[in-house]
Coordinates of all heavy atoms in Angstrom, one line a residue:
V1 N 0.8 -1.2 0.0 CA 0.0 0.0 0.0 C 0.9 1.3 0.0 O 0.6 2.2 -0.7 CB -1.0 0.0 1.2 CG1 -1.7 1.3 1.3 CG2 -1.9 -1.2 1.1
E2 N 1.9 1.3 0.8 CA 2.8 2.4 0.8 C 3.4 2.7 -0.5 O 3.5 3.9 -1.0 CB 3.9 2.2 1.9 CG 3.5 2.3 3.3 CD 4.5 1.9 4.3 OE1 5.6 1.5 3.9 OE2 4.3 2.1 5.5
E3 N 3.9 1.7 -1.2 CA 4.5 1.8 -2.5 C 3.4 2.3 -3.6 O 3.7 3.1 -4.4 CB 5.2 0.5 -3.0 CG 6.0 0.7 -4.2 CD 7.3 1.6 -4.0 OE1 7.8 1.5 -2.9 OE2 7.7 2.2 -4.9
A4 N 2.2 1.7 -3.5 CA 1.2 2.1 -4.4 C 0.8 3.5 -4.2 O 0.7 4.3 -5.2 CB -0.1 1.2 -4.2
H5 N 0.6 4.0 -3.0 CA 0.3 5.4 -2.7 C 1.4 6.3 -3.2 O 1.1 7.4 -3.7 CB 0.0 5.6 -1.3 CG -1.3 5.0 -0.8 ND1 -1.7 4.9 0.5 CD2 -2.3 4.4 -1.6 CE1 -2.9 4.3 0.5 NE2 -3.3 4.0 -0.7
A6 N 2.7 5.9 -3.0 CA 3.8 6.7 -3.5 C 3.8 6.9 -5.0 O 4.3 7.8 -5.5 CB 5.1 6.1 -3.1
N7 N 3.1 5.9 -5.7 CA 3.0 6.0 -7.2 C 1.6 6.5 -7.6 O 1.3 6.3 -8.8 CB 3.2 4.6 -7.8 CG 4.7 4.2 -7.8 OD1 5.4 4.5 -8.8 ND2 5.2 3.6 -6.8
G8 N 0.9 7.0 -6.7 CA -0.4 7.6 -7.0 C -1.5 6.6 -7.3 O -2.5 6.9 -8.0
L9 N -1.4 5.4 -6.8 CA -2.4 4.3 -7.0 C -3.2 4.0 -5.8 O -2.7 3.8 -4.7 CB -1.6 3.1 -7.5 CG -0.9 3.2 -8.9 CD1 0.0 2.0 -9.1 CD2 -1.8 3.4 -10.0
K10 N -4.5 3.8 -6.0 CA -5.4 3.3 -5.0 C -5.2 1.8 -4.8 O -4.8 1.1 -5.8 CB -6.8 3.7 -5.3 CG -7.2 5.1 -5.3 CD -7.3 5.7 -3.9 CE -7.8 7.1 -4.0 NZ -8.0 7.7 -2.6
V11 N -5.6 1.3 -3.7 CA -5.5 -0.2 -3.4 C -6.8 -0.7 -2.9 O -7.4 -0.2 -1.9 CB -4.4 -0.5 -2.4 CG1 -4.3 -2.0 -2.1 CG2 -3.0 -0.1 -2.9
A12 N -7.3 -1.7 -3.6 CA -8.5 -2.4 -3.1 C -8.1 -3.8 -2.8 O -7.2 -4.4 -3.4 CB -9.6 -2.5 -4.2
T13 N -8.7 -4.4 -1.7 CA -8.3 -5.7 -1.3 C -9.5 -6.7 -1.3 O -10.6 -6.3 -1.0 CB -7.7 -5.8 0.1 OG1 -8.7 -5.3 1.1 CG2 -6.5 -4.9 0.2
H14 N -9.2 -7.9 -1.7 CA -10.2 -9.0 -1.5 C -9.9 -9.5 0.0 O -9.0 -10.1 0.3 CB -9.8 -10.2 -2.4 CG -10.6 -11.4 -2.1 ND1 -11.6 -11.9 -3.0 CD2 -10.6 -12.3 -1.1 CE1 -12.2 -13.0 -2.5 NE2 -11.5 -13.3 -1.4
T15 N -10.8 -9.0 0.9 CA -10.8 -9.3 2.3 C -12.1 -9.7 2.7 O -13.1 -9.0 2.6 CB -10.3 -8.0 3.1 OG1 -9.0 -7.6 2.6 CG2 -10.2 -8.3 4.6
V16 N -12.2 -10.9 3.4 CA -13.5 -11.4 3.7 C -13.6 -11.9 5.2 O -14.6 -12.5 5.6 CB -13.9 -12.6 2.8 CG1 -14.2 -12.1 1.4 CG2 -12.8 -13.7 2.7
T17 N -12.6 -11.6 6.0 CA -12.6 -12.0 7.4 C -12.4 -10.7 8.2 O -11.7 -9.8 7.8 CB -11.6 -13.0 7.7 OG1 -10.3 -12.6 7.4 CG2 -11.8 -14.3 7.0
A18 N -12.9 -10.8 9.4 CA -12.8 -9.6 10.3 C -11.4 -9.3 10.7 O -10.9 -8.1 10.7 CB -13.7 -9.8 11.5
E19 N -10.6 -10.3 11.0 CA -9.2 -10.1 11.4 C -8.4 -9.4 10.4 O -7.7 -8.4 10.6 CB -8.5 -11.4 11.8 CG -7.1 -11.2 12.2 CD -6.4 -12.6 12.4 OE1 -6.7 -13.5 11.7 OE2 -5.5 -12.6 13.3
R20 N -8.6 -9.8 9.1 CA -7.8 -9.2 8.1 C -8.4 -7.9 7.6 O -7.7 -7.1 7.0 CB -7.6 -10.3 6.9 CG -6.7 -11.4 7.3 CD -6.3 -12.4 6.2 NE -5.4 -13.3 6.7 CZ -5.6 -14.4 7.4 NH1 -6.9 -14.8 7.6 NH2 -4.7 -15.2 7.8
A21 N -9.6 -7.7 7.9 CA -10.2 -6.3 7.6 C -9.5 -5.3 8.5 O -9.2 -4.2 8.1 CB -11.7 -6.3 7.9
G22 N -9.2 -5.7 9.8 CA -8.4 -4.9 10.7 C -7.1 -4.6 10.1 O -6.5 -3.5 10.2
W23 N -6.4 -5.7 9.6 CA -5.1 -5.5 9.0 C -5.2 -4.5 7.8 O -4.3 -3.7 7.7 CB -4.6 -6.8 8.5 CG -4.2 -7.8 9.5 CD1 -4.4 -7.7 10.9 CD2 -3.7 -9.1 9.3 NE1 -4.0 -8.8 11.5 CE2 -3.6 -9.7 10.6 CE3 -3.4 -9.9 8.2 CZ2 -3.1 -11.0 10.7 CZ3 -2.9 -11.2 8.3 CH2 -2.8 -11.7 9.6
A24 N -6.2 -4.6 7.0 CA -6.4 -3.7 5.9 C -6.5 -2.3 6.3 O -5.9 -1.3 5.8 CB -7.6 -4.1 5.1
G25 N -7.3 -2.0 7.4 CA -7.4 -0.7 8.0 C -6.0 -0.2 8.4 O -5.6 1.0 8.2
E26 N -5.3 -1.0 9.1 CA -3.9 -0.6 9.6 C -3.0 -0.3 8.5 O -2.1 0.6 8.6 CB -3.4 -1.7 10.5 CG -4.0 -1.8 11.9 CD -3.3 -2.8 12.8 OE1 -2.5 -3.6 12.3 OE2 -3.6 -2.8 14.0
A27 N -3.1 -1.0 7.4 CA -2.3 -0.8 6.2 C -2.7 0.4 5.4 O -2.0 0.8 4.4 CB -2.2 -2.0 5.4
K28 N -3.9 1.0 5.7 CA -4.4 2.1 5.0 C -4.9 1.7 3.6 O -4.7 2.5 2.6 CB -3.5 3.3 5.0 CG -3.3 3.9 6.4 CD -2.4 5.2 6.3 CE -2.4 5.9 7.7 NZ -2.1 5.0 8.8
V29 N -5.4 0.5 3.5 CA -6.0 0.1 2.2 C -7.2 1.1 1.9 O -7.9 1.5 2.8 CB -6.6 -1.4 2.3 CG1 -7.6 -1.7 1.3 CG2 -5.4 -2.3 2.3
D30 N -7.3 1.4 0.6 CA -8.4 2.4 0.3 C -9.8 1.8 0.2 O -10.7 2.5 0.6 CB -8.0 3.0 -1.1 CG -6.7 3.7 -1.1 OD1 -6.6 4.8 -0.5 OD2 -5.7 3.2 -1.7
L31 N -9.9 0.5 -0.2 CA -11.2 -0.1 -0.4 C -11.2 -1.6 -0.1 O -10.3 -2.3 -0.7 CB -11.6 0.2 -1.9 CG -12.9 -0.5 -2.3 CD1 -14.1 0.1 -1.7 CD2 -13.0 -0.5 -3.9
I32 N -12.1 -2.0 0.7 CA -12.3 -3.5 0.9 C -13.4 -3.8 -0.1 O -14.5 -3.3 -0.1 CB -12.7 -3.8 2.3 CG1 -11.5 -3.7 3.2 CG2 -13.2 -5.3 2.4 CD1 -11.8 -4.0 4.7
A33 N -13.1 -4.7 -1.0 CA -13.9 -5.0 -2.2 C -14.8 -6.2 -2.0 O -15.2 -6.8 -3.0 CB -13.1 -5.1 -3.5

């Protein structure tokens, strides 16, 4: 996510569990898809 944002790119994740949704938030993922 850090590298994508440095290149002006949004990041969406395939995330379907609560634990990894928390990880996505911590990583500053733009969109849980």
Side-chain angles (χ1 to χ4, degrees):
V1 174
E2 289 176 351
E3 190 66 34
H5 288 173
N7 284 271
L9 296 170
K10 297 282 188 180
V11 177
T13 60
H14 173 108
T15 302
V16 291
T17 59
E19 179 186 33
R20 290 185 174 86
W23 293 0
E26 288 185 347
K28 294 182 170 50
V29 163
D30 299 289
L31 173 71
I32 290 179

